[in-house]
Amino acid sequence: MSLQAHSASQNLHSAIDIALDTAYQGIDANGWVKLFAQARKSKVEQFIVDMFAGKHINNSEDRPALHSALRNLTKTPVLINDSDVMPAVSEVWHRIEALCNKWVGVTDVIHIGIGGSDFGPRLAIEALAHVPGIDSRGMRMHFLANIDTAELARILVRAQPHSTRVIVVSKSFTTLETSMNAKAVVAWLKDSGCTKSQIAHALYAVTANIPAAKEFGVEEDNIYPFWDWVGGRYSVWSAVGLPIALQYGFETFQQFLAGAEAMDLHFKNAPLEENLPVIMALTLLYQQEKHDIKAYAAIPYADALDWFPKWLQQLDMESNGKSVDRDGKPVKHSSPVVFGSAGSNAQHSYFQLFHQGTEIIPIDFIAVREPMSDRPEAVAHHRILLSNCLAQAQALANGKTASNPNDVYPGKRPSNLLLLPKLNAFYLGALLALYENRTATLGALWNINSFDQPGVEYGKVLAKPIEKALTSHQNNIAASDDIDAVTAARINLLNSNN
Ligand code: F6P
């Protein structure tokens, strides 16, 4: 039986004009009943209530995960320890709006941040640049994340120092890459002849650690706060998304928040059987339990969303790439590997493996109904783009027989189709919130805390003695408690070329 056997209506869902078609998942009516029962058994409904109510669902760090408050444009009170966070959130909105209004004569903005302090705004700036007619205020937005100076060098040859603004974005304000890059950019401003007061005027910070930003030299009026109840990878809705407002206007930023808010309301209020983030989470769970899948792919058939899979990688794998559950017990399943890139380019890269490889890799096909440019060719090209998207899903699901084994497509390769009416700020916000809520639902299904990331710390600790050994230029470093024999040999190899 091919995967197409299950009726279209049973598999077609929609929320805020976003359609989700799960027909190629191969899940029959009985399968769905079981999946929703499993979700109820895992207390997904209670989890959703707790998340929006500000319960300490980030149990290891004993705090709520309340990024939803950042897009709560209706300002319904959100309480933490009996105190409403919305006045502080809306004060930041007012400050962002005021900043947009006085943002004149700026040619370049250098946004310095990494991980959650980079992916969200970078994706949004890229994605919205494709909206026909959008006004980007003739300003270049540069993103500086990597400690590799290649990125820094690329930006500094283009930016005009006397009309550049610098935004240092770091929740902790202790991230090494960000602070070193920030120091390098400040030094460049100085070397380019900017005075102390010009530099102070040009320097902004977005952080949950205000003392550290002040200590770095950012003036209080130029610091935009966010809070410890916002996870870094869930933070684009805070002032971390400042580039969106500065580049495309405050109204566009509000539209982005409004799309996310609409998706939150759907997630909060829709029954599980109609709930897009829940349904998407369950399709993945189903394939994991049935086929023991180890990876899935997100393929946006929209060049504007080429950064989306990178954003999603952090969201999913930093949130749910864990081996133990909330109670410290080993889990059977957690996040698969996530990858992807824009279609149709991706078809000419790794789709061979999707069709004929030994691994089954579920795919989220993400398509947009409207063309994403106002070029005269747009309609014709877009039709071909969509045809390719639909054809790939069909070929993967149904397969093809042939006498030559090399030409056989086994089929039964599952996929979702997510169809956005258009790609503007509203639907971009809704798309990201859909995936955030899906990631959180998966955490609930696996009983994993999706809001901490202890696994990223150890490597940072080990880098310190290694850096010290590299600085010594010695090529006779011996193995020690901090540096094992393999790494000591590698350090010696690097130092022997000095
Ligand atoms: O190293 C991982 C991480 O802590 C991410 O969770 C976070 O998004 C990123 O580093 C940047 O952290 P910060 O915003 O504190 O600089």
Side-chain angles (χ1 to χ4, degrees), residues 456-475:
V456 299
E457 297 307 323
Y458 188 38
K460 293 182 194 170
V461 172
L462 289 183
K464 287 188 181 145
I466 294 174
E467 193 218 335
K468 201 167 159 214
L470 286 173
T471 311
S472 76
H473 300 302
Q474 288 171 16
N475 60 10

Side-chain angles (χ1 to χ4, degrees), residues 114-117 170-173 175 232-233 314 318 453 456 460:
I114 199 163
S117 295
S170 175
K171 181 179 171 185
S172 61
F173 228 82
T175 303
R233 55 193 172 273
Q314 188 200 17
E318 194 167 84
Q453 56 287 327
V456 299
K460 293 182 194 170

Side-chain angles (χ1 to χ4, degrees), residues 37 95 137 243 339 396:
R95 289 186 57 203
R137 302 170 136 209
F339 68 102
L396 286 158

